[in-house]
Amino acid sequence: MRAKRPFFKKWRFCLCLIVTGCTLFGAFLLTSVIINAKRLNAPEPADVMTILGAQVYADGVPSPWLASRLELALTLYAKGYAGKIITTGAQGSDEPMPEAEMMKAYLVANGVPREAVYCDPASYDTIQNITNAKAIMDARGLRTAIVVTSDYHLWRALSICKGLGLPATGAGARST
């Protein structure tokens, strides 16, 4: 007669199965996000570009994520994708100024006319960024947008635009 396996050995086996399953599922999700980001990174000419905020360091310098978004927006602006830009992002507790205002100053310092940049310094998350940007667009008769954010964030940002009825394409700044 065979001896029964102790309970803790069965428990360890089940735990290993659960961990392995979660790891595989996570790898599948990450792969899907990466593949989807490449597909969604297809900006088309529009009335305005909306740059979603990211951290500004205590010394007023943009974080690498924000700097890559700003450089992508400058490239698209120079190529004529959009004649207007909306910067979004409020001031976090560890930031010296609102993200939107820092971005506007950066863009103006790099050749974008001040009157071509609209600022939304009141939004704290992606939904508020896009909702407030849409309100700015509506007030100025702008209909279409290019959302500039990090590549991994495109799907979420464009899904929010779709939910708000905002015709938008995406431009994803490369993430490390």
Side-chain angles (χ1 to χ4, degrees), residues 11-25:
W11 183 82
R12 282 193 308 190
F13 177 74
C14 289
L15 181 63
C16 286
L17 279 179
I18 291 170
V19 168
T20 301
C22 288
T23 302
L24 290 173
F25 183 69

Side-chain angles (χ1 to χ4, degrees), residues 92-172:
S93 61
D94 59 345
E95 295 174 320
M97 67 182 73
E99 297 162 2
E101 290 177 10
M102 185 258 120
M103 288 191 280
K104 181 173 183 169
Y106 185 96
L107 294 169
V108 169
N110 283 280
V112 179
R114 181 172 296 284
E115 61 275 2
V117 184
Y118 306 116
C119 216
D120 164 38
S123 54
Y124 285 93
D125 59 36
T126 307
I127 294 172
Q128 287 179 345
N129 289 159
I130 295 170
T131 301
N132 294 356
K134 185 176 184 317
I136 292 170
M137 290 174 63
D138 291 344
R140 288 167 176 76
L142 304 169
R143 295 182 358 87
T144 59
I146 300 169
V147 177
V148 179
T149 187
S150 299
D151 51 7
Y152 66 87
H153 193 232
L154 276 176
W155 180 83
R156 181 168 188 261
L158 291 175
S159 295
I160 293 168
C161 288
K162 186 176 181 179
L164 293 173
L166 175 61
T169 57

Side-chain angles (χ1 to χ4, degrees), residues 36-57:
N36 214 15
K38 288 183 181 185
R39 179 180 63 80
L40 294 174
N41 191 0
E44 295 178 10
D47 298 332
V48 68
M49 257 187 291
T50 298
I51 309 171
L52 302 185
Q55 184 179 17
V56 175
Y57 289 145

